[in-house]
Amino acid sequence: MRVLQGVAGAVIVLGIFSSVLRTLVIPRPTRSGFTQVVQRLVHRPFQLLANLMSSAEAKDRVLGPVAPLAILVTLVSWLVCFVVGYALLEAAVSGFGIRDALVESGSSLFTLGFASSKRTTLTVVDFCAAATGPIVVGLQVGYLPTLYGAYQRRETEVTLLQARAGSPPWGPEILARYAQVELLDVLTDLFRNWERWSAQVSESHTTYPILVHFRSPKATRNWLIALLAVMDAAALRLAFNPSLPKTEVRMALRAGFVCLRDIADMKGIPYAQDPHPDDPIELSYEDFLRGVARMEEQGYPLQRTPQEAWPHFRGWRVNYEALAYRLARDIDAVPAPWSGARRTPVAIRAPLTPVDRRPVG
């Protein structure tokens, strides 16, 4: 019996150490099964409640605390598992009952010191437990600033995009607004910035997967919908303006769908590695025409007709549409034009567009 307790305790302690290392220490995409289970258990009741909500704002209020709460619950779960694992080890080497072993383990893990033994074997286990508690808490304390720093960098560009793409963002709205304020000459700066943004998000959101579920401060903003809008704007630019410079536009588009694929790989979502340009997409030609009408309304110059541009646009969008729609559904992103369906029916929000009032004369 004591041998089984010792084996079980060692397995629990080593398994949780592996989870801590994968989640907090190793600077590369690594999946911890324990962390994933805890986060899913935290997320499920909130998601069930959000599914009952009829508005995007209500859903956002319900889902907003989920990711931060999952971090806290994960830390508590690690510590509880360490208490149990070390208690089993102490019971194995000392013959203590489970209750006494839990008291000794908790006293050592949290460095309280109110329960201790003079037995050498127990002292070794107590020292290991006493080192474990501060290490895990210290790693978590160091992890949070890194996590929130990546979140703030992500949200800065998403917030800046609001004036350029509406709220929620929409690809045609980006080109329409740049045409409206006569800034099409500097549109490549936007794509250059979002190429770098995509690379940063790819790195941070695969290293720290919980960031995928961190929501923006406002219900009408979302990092995924913002990225989708920029990629759609890039695809529209390439489809309608073949004579204009393409380098920054193509790089932003490629960086965007590489970012989505990296996140999909981390989450185990399948996708077509090399889709054919003629493969079907969910966006209808009628919805495409509505976006083009918005661009034309604000004076965006079109070098091709919508009929000529549609195959080119579709050939670009096939690279990222399915993944963007799947992720938008998974995280219940704010409904927006050209962003697919959600878990439960919610009205698609049209981008809020301020009136550009100019002095007469």
Side-chain angles (χ1 to χ4, degrees), residues 27 58-59 63 65 69 75 121 124 154 189 192 196 198 208 228 298 321 346:
K59 285 179 178 287
L63 294 174
L69 180 62
L75 172 61
T121 51
V124 172
R154 184 192 81 183
D189 292 341
R192 189 179 300 114
R196 180 171 294 276
S198 297
Y208 308 114
L228 178 59
Q298 297 301 322
E321 184 194 73
V346 178

Side-chain angles (χ1 to χ4, degrees), residues 207-229:
T207 303
Y208 308 114
I210 193 64
L211 278 172
V212 173
H213 298 278
F214 267 72
R215 305 180 77 85
S216 296
K218 289 191 176 182
T220 55
R221 294 203 297 257
N222 179 270
W223 68 271
L224 177 61
I225 302 303
L227 175 58
L228 178 59

